[in-house]
Amino acid sequence: QDFIFNRFYQADDSSTRPVEGSGIGLALTKEFVHLLGGEIEVRSQEGEGASFQVLLPIQRKTHRRDPLSEASTMYTPANRPEPKAAENREAPLLLLVEDNPDVASYLHACLQPHYNLAFAKNGQEGLEEALRLIPDIIISDVMMPLKNGFELCEALKNDTRTSHIPIILLTARADEASRHTGLRTGADAYLTKPFNRQELYIRLQKMLELRQRLKEKYSTANPQPDSSPPSEDPELRFLQKLKSIIMDRMSDPDFRVEPDLCRAIAMSRPQLYRKLKALTGLSPSAFLRQIRMQEAQRLLLSGQYAVQQVAEKTGFRDASYFSKAYLREMGEPPHKTINRSKSNT
């Protein structure tokens, strides 16, 4: 009873407590009562319940106040938005993991014009949705039932399917220890409640800009397969593994994205598609074709093989179809690449 009016105080402060709330309501009520010159107190007996008493002074002097802006929105259970995607298919997909429906409603109002939104009401559901959707970015509360935000973040960052996704943790726990824990689990940003809306916008924008720069880096890189020294970058390691799988089946004309590549990398086609799109901007089919054409170019430049032989070594049964695909991908027909290699020697 000595602490319940303190901001962010929780009797049960575990990060997986089953009861909602963040310790703001009574602190805010106390502030309002004090602004009106009043007092608030609590009387409670264990097992018998509690009663709150508010004493406000009667004053003959009043002040005219402006009515609430019509633009303000009150969210109630009746008008609380259901999870749904925005109309703009090109907008980034953002997964919001938040167990407090009022906070979720507020974030929905802030973000819906700029993002396609998906929702999860606890950490376990958030993990399942993240693996199913492979979103572009995730905002998660920390203190949630079943699985807290730290556990969710750690699980996603240690899973190849989701390790590339930027994660922002939102929490009322502003102490340094909690912030350090969040960053250690792989969170890309850590914002405390109540947060500034503009800061959230800027954080999201900068994270997406960083992802775009990384996409440009990965799309122009030529990842070496697993036989080369492993990269410290987990996403480059993923691309190395993907290329290694393709190189092992390079001459197989029946090798396909689905089921072969998906099975070898242990991902569903939608998961692989979202991951590769986020990293390189390429679909799995385009990535497979790019690796085949790069290998074809290397073989042609060696000057040791005819076009028919290179077609067979890169998984094409028909040399004519190979030549057309090579022209589309590399910007010149195979025989010009051969001639170029001869002129260089």
PDB file of all heavy atoms in Angstrom, residues 292-303:
ATOM      1  N   ARG A 292      22.867 -19.755 -61.103  1.00  0.00           N
ATOM      2  CA  ARG A 292      23.132 -20.578 -62.300  1.00  0.00           C
ATOM      3  C   ARG A 292      23.856 -19.753 -63.374  1.00  0.00           C
ATOM      4  O   ARG A 292      24.827 -20.215 -63.983  1.00  0.00           O
ATOM      5  CB  ARG A 292      21.817 -21.120 -62.868  1.00  0.00           C
ATOM      6  CG  ARG A 292      21.167 -22.244 -62.059  1.00  0.00           C
ATOM      7  CD  ARG A 292      19.990 -22.805 -62.836  1.00  0.00           C
ATOM      8  NE  ARG A 292      19.204 -23.759 -62.087  1.00  0.00           N
ATOM      9  CZ  ARG A 292      19.489 -25.056 -61.950  1.00  0.00           C
ATOM     10  NH1 ARG A 292      20.574 -25.541 -62.511  1.00  0.00           N
ATOM     11  NH2 ARG A 292      18.691 -25.861 -61.263  1.00  0.00           N
ATOM     12  N   MET A 293      23.378 -18.524 -63.597  1.00  0.00           N
ATOM     13  CA  MET A 293      23.964 -17.701 -64.652  1.00  0.00           C
ATOM     14  C   MET A 293      25.377 -17.235 -64.294  1.00  0.00           C
ATOM     15  O   MET A 293      26.244 -17.110 -65.156  1.00  0.00           O
ATOM     16  CB  MET A 293      23.068 -16.499 -64.932  1.00  0.00           C
ATOM     17  CG  MET A 293      21.721 -16.843 -65.569  1.00  0.00           C
ATOM     18  SD  MET A 293      21.862 -17.642 -67.186  1.00  0.00           S
ATOM     19  CE  MET A 293      21.541 -19.358 -66.766  1.00  0.00           C
ATOM     20  N   GLN A 294      25.618 -16.965 -63.010  1.00  0.00           N
ATOM     21  CA  GLN A 294      26.968 -16.590 -62.584  1.00  0.00           C
ATOM     22  C   GLN A 294      27.950 -17.735 -62.815  1.00  0.00           C
ATOM     23  O   GLN A 294      29.079 -17.514 -63.246  1.00  0.00           O
ATOM     24  CB  GLN A 294      26.964 -16.174 -61.118  1.00  0.00           C
ATOM     25  CG  GLN A 294      26.315 -14.824 -60.854  1.00  0.00           C
ATOM     26  CD  GLN A 294      26.204 -14.502 -59.374  1.00  0.00           C
ATOM     27  OE1 GLN A 294      26.457 -15.344 -58.519  1.00  0.00           O
ATOM     28  NE2 GLN A 294      25.809 -13.271 -59.057  1.00  0.00           N
ATOM     29  N   GLU A 295      27.501 -18.951 -62.511  1.00  0.00           N
ATOM     30  CA  GLU A 295      28.350 -20.111 -62.742  1.00  0.00           C
ATOM     31  C   GLU A 295      28.544 -20.330 -64.245  1.00  0.00           C
ATOM     32  O   GLU A 295      29.664 -20.668 -64.693  1.00  0.00           O
ATOM     33  CB  GLU A 295      27.737 -21.359 -62.100  1.00  0.00           C
ATOM     34  CG  GLU A 295      28.486 -22.661 -62.349  1.00  0.00           C
ATOM     35  CD  GLU A 295      29.884 -22.684 -61.744  1.00  0.00           C
ATOM     36  OE1 GLU A 295      30.244 -21.753 -60.982  1.00  0.00           O
ATOM     37  OE2 GLU A 295      30.625 -23.645 -62.034  1.00  0.00           O
ATOM     38  N   ALA A 296      27.486 -20.129 -65.029  1.00  0.00           N
ATOM     39  CA  ALA A 296      27.609 -20.261 -66.484  1.00  0.00           C
ATOM     40  C   ALA A 296      28.616 -19.256 -67.035  1.00  0.00           C
ATOM     41  O   ALA A 296      29.449 -19.595 -67.892  1.00  0.00           O
ATOM     42  CB  ALA A 296      26.247 -20.061 -67.139  1.00  0.00           C
ATOM     43  N   GLN A 297      28.568 -18.032 -66.544  1.00  0.00           N
ATOM     44  CA  GLN A 297      29.519 -17.014 -66.994  1.00  0.00           C
ATOM     45  C   GLN A 297      30.949 -17.414 -66.650  1.00  0.00           C
ATOM     46  O   GLN A 297      31.877 -17.248 -67.470  1.00  0.00           O
ATOM     47  CB  GLN A 297      29.176 -15.673 -66.356  1.00  0.00           C
ATOM     48  CG  GLN A 297      30.058 -14.524 -66.832  1.00  0.00           C
ATOM     49  CD  GLN A 297      29.741 -13.237 -66.122  1.00  0.00           C
ATOM     50  OE1 GLN A 297      29.771 -13.173 -64.889  1.00  0.00           O
ATOM     51  NE2 GLN A 297      29.405 -12.196 -66.884  1.00  0.00           N
ATOM     52  N   ARG A 298      31.143 -17.943 -65.448  1.00  0.00           N
ATOM     53  CA  ARG A 298      32.490 -18.370 -65.046  1.00  0.00           C
ATOM     54  C   ARG A 298      33.010 -19.466 -65.971  1.00  0.00           C
ATOM     55  O   ARG A 298      34.182 -19.436 -66.402  1.00  0.00           O
ATOM     56  CB  ARG A 298      32.461 -18.876 -63.603  1.00  0.00           C
ATOM     57  CG  ARG A 298      33.826 -19.186 -63.011  1.00  0.00           C
ATOM     58  CD  ARG A 298      33.714 -19.860 -61.655  1.00  0.00           C
ATOM     59  NE  ARG A 298      33.186 -21.215 -61.761  1.00  0.00           N
ATOM     60  CZ  ARG A 298      33.930 -22.275 -62.115  1.00  0.00           C
ATOM     61  NH1 ARG A 298      35.226 -22.128 -62.419  1.00  0.00           N
ATOM     62  NH2 ARG A 298      33.388 -23.473 -62.184  1.00  0.00           N
ATOM     63  N   LEU A 299      32.152 -20.433 -66.306  1.00  0.00           N
ATOM     64  CA  LEU A 299      32.564 -21.526 -67.184  1.00  0.00           C
ATOM     65  C   LEU A 299      32.852 -21.035 -68.598  1.00  0.00           C
ATOM     66  O   LEU A 299      33.826 -21.472 -69.240  1.00  0.00           O
ATOM     67  CB  LEU A 299      31.475 -22.601 -67.211  1.00  0.00           C
ATOM     68  CG  LEU A 299      31.226 -23.352 -65.898  1.00  0.00           C
ATOM     69  CD1 LEU A 299      30.005 -24.245 -66.005  1.00  0.00           C
ATOM     70  CD2 LEU A 299      32.455 -24.175 -65.498  1.00  0.00           C
ATOM     71  N   LEU A 300      32.019 -20.120 -69.094  1.00  0.00           N
ATOM     72  CA  LEU A 300      32.231 -19.580 -70.444  1.00  0.00           C
ATOM     73  C   LEU A 300      33.527 -18.781 -70.526  1.00  0.00           C
ATOM     74  O   LEU A 300      34.271 -18.865 -71.503  1.00  0.00           O
ATOM     75  CB  LEU A 300      31.048 -18.702 -70.848  1.00  0.00           C
ATOM     76  CG  LEU A 300      29.713 -19.426 -71.092  1.00  0.00           C
ATOM     77  CD1 LEU A 300      28.571 -18.428 -71.210  1.00  0.00           C
ATOM     78  CD2 LEU A 300      29.791 -20.300 -72.351  1.00  0.00           C
ATOM     79  N   LEU A 301      33.791 -17.999 -69.475  1.00  0.00           N
ATOM     80  CA  LEU A 301      35.007 -17.185 -69.461  1.00  0.00           C
ATOM     81  C   LEU A 301      36.269 -18.031 -69.342  1.00  0.00           C
ATOM     82  O   LEU A 301      37.360 -17.578 -69.709  1.00  0.00           O
ATOM     83  CB  LEU A 301      34.948 -16.174 -68.305  1.00  0.00           C
ATOM     84  CG  LEU A 301      34.000 -14.996 -68.487  1.00  0.00           C
ATOM     85  CD1 LEU A 301      33.890 -14.177 -67.208  1.00  0.00           C
ATOM     86  CD2 LEU A 301      34.465 -14.102 -69.651  1.00  0.00           C
ATOM     87  N   SER A 302      36.117 -19.264 -68.841  1.00  0.00           N
ATOM     88  CA  SER A 302      37.293 -20.140 -68.732  1.00  0.00           C
ATOM     89  C   SER A 302      37.797 -20.568 -70.105  1.00  0.00           C
ATOM     90  O   SER A 302      38.961 -20.974 -70.256  1.00  0.00           O
ATOM     91  CB  SER A 302      36.956 -21.377 -67.892  1.00  0.00           C
ATOM     92  OG  SER A 302      36.101 -22.270 -68.611  1.00  0.00           O
ATOM     93  N   GLY A 303      36.906 -20.523 -71.112  1.00  0.00           N
ATOM     94  CA  GLY A 303      37.286 -20.908 -72.464  1.00  0.00           C
ATOM     95  C   GLY A 303      37.444 -22.391 -72.673  1.00  0.00           C
ATOM     96  O   GLY A 303      37.948 -22.829 -73.714  1.00  0.00           O
TER      97      GLY A 303
END
